[in-house]
Amino acid sequence: MEDRKLTVRAVDRALDILLCFTRTSDLGLTEISSQIGLHKSTVHRLLTTLEEKGFLIRNAATEKYRLGIRIWELSMHLPAFDESAALLLPAMERLRDRLGETVSLYLRDGIERVRIQAVQSQQAIRRVAQIGARLPLSVGASSKVLAAYAPPEVLVELLEGPGWPSSIEREVYRTQLKEIIHQGYATSFEEREPGAAAVAVPVTGRSGNVVAALSLSGPVSRLSQETLVEYAAVLNEAASEMGMMIP
């Protein structure tokens, strides 16, 4: 019985920590400890668990925490998510209608990316994008955009981890990431799916940080390298508009 009480108390305190972020987006250990009235050591243990589970993200430079991608994933199963996602849909729909292909928005979660929104192409032959899909950062236009702007420690984990594909040379990949930062977009041809091509650009939030990747994808029969480069400029315009809606 005592163990059960301790477990319930820990869950209650963890939820109190998450509720602190309803008032602000970034909080440090001292601020959280003060708000919920718990000792820093106790709060630190809970923060570590929430970070490991993806509910919080810690900024290594500021030592502050913000809500993690698990919150997005959970919210996608609530009717209220439709209201929040609606802020991003108009720009994505205009992009789809202008270029005729499927448009997706991704966030990085560790060494993976998660599709948090998508607008499907209306053409008969199209690439269908499933919201909530989780994909590796090693391949794909959106993956390379998110990796290019990821912290150094993320790249170390990605490139040196056991999941790195043996078919991809690490130095070639590093060179691609540098080129992406220089040119402002990434392309891919059948890197992850046969017959599919994509172009992706970074989305910079109001904070000035790259917070997402905006991509357009479709069949290689319609998306040549020249077409993707042309579309990259259009995506960057849309990304600028969307970035004003993201903290």
Side-chain angles (χ1 to χ4, degrees):
M1 181 65 71
E2 185 62 24
D3 289 342
R4 182 178 180 182
K5 288 182 179 179
L6 291 173
T7 300
V8 172
R9 188 181 307 161
V11 172
D12 186 59
R13 290 171 171 176
L15 291 174
D16 283 341
I17 288 176
L18 292 177
L19 289 174
C20 289
F21 292 88
T22 61
R23 295 182 289 273
T24 186
S25 58
D26 295 272
L27 290 169
L29 173 60
T30 301
E31 295 169 290
I32 296 172
S33 177
S34 176
Q35 285 191 34
I36 65 176
L38 288 177
H39 195 275
K40 288 184 180 180
S41 60
T42 301
V43 174
H44 183 265
R45 288 195 297 270
L46 293 169
L47 287 171
T48 299
T49 299
L50 289 169
E51 183 183 5
E52 290 173 350
K53 294 294 184 180
F55 288 97
L56 292 177
I57 297 174
R58 183 177 64 87
N59 186 317
T62 65
E63 294 295 326
K64 290 195 172 186
Y65 294 82
R66 61 182 175 86
L67 294 177
I69 201 165
R70 293 294 184 211
I71 302 298
W72 278 88
E73 292 181 317
L74 289 174
S75 67
M76 281 186 281
H77 299 286
L78 294 173
F81 174 76
D82 293 336
E83 298 175 8
S84 300
L87 293 173
L88 305 176
L89 280 175
M92 295 178 69
E93 289 175 342
R94 286 195 295 273
L95 189 60
R96 184 272 314 275
D97 294 343
R98 179 176 178 181
L99 302 180
E101 305 293 351
T102 295
V103 178
S104 299
L105 187 71
Y106 294 90
L107 294 183
R108 182 182 63 81
D109 182 22
I111 57 173
E112 295 180 312
R113 58 175 161 128
V114 179
R115 185 183 293 116
I116 64 166
Q117 188 57 279
V119 178
Q120 312 296 341
S121 168
Q122 296 177 332
Q123 302 201 54
I125 299 176
R126 63 181 183 271
R127 185 171 181 275
V128 177
Q130 180 181 2
I131 295 176
R134 183 176 288 271
L135 303 165
L137 280 189
S138 53
V139 293
S142 295
S143 289
K144 289 183 288 188
V145 163
L146 293 173
Y149 294 93
E153 60 269 22
V154 173
L155 289 182
V156 171
E157 182 182 0
L158 174 65
L159 294 167
E160 304 303 327
W164 184 257
S166 58
S167 59
I168 303 175
E169 294 184 16
R170 290 177 174 82
E171 288 308 310
V172 171
Y173 187 83
R174 289 181 186 275
T175 300
Q176 289 178 336
L177 299 188
K178 293 178 182 178
E179 292 175 349
I180 290 167
I181 294 176
H182 175 71
Q183 64 192 16
Y185 66 87
T187 61
S188 65
F189 286 87
E190 301 184 302
E191 287 187 11
R192 198 175 61 81
E193 296 179 16
V199 57
V201 301
V203 179
T204 303
R206 296 193 302 273
S207 64
N209 298 319
V210 172
V211 294
L214 177 67
S215 79
L216 178 140
S217 58
V220 294
S221 59
R222 291 198 299 265
L223 297 178
S224 64
Q225 177 64 45
E226 292 75 15
T227 300
L228 292 181
V229 172
E230 178 184 342
Y231 285 178
V234 182
L235 260 69
N236 272 313
E237 292 178 6
S240 296
E241 177 184 345
M242 296 173 64
M244 299 303 295
M245 307 177 195
I246 303 175

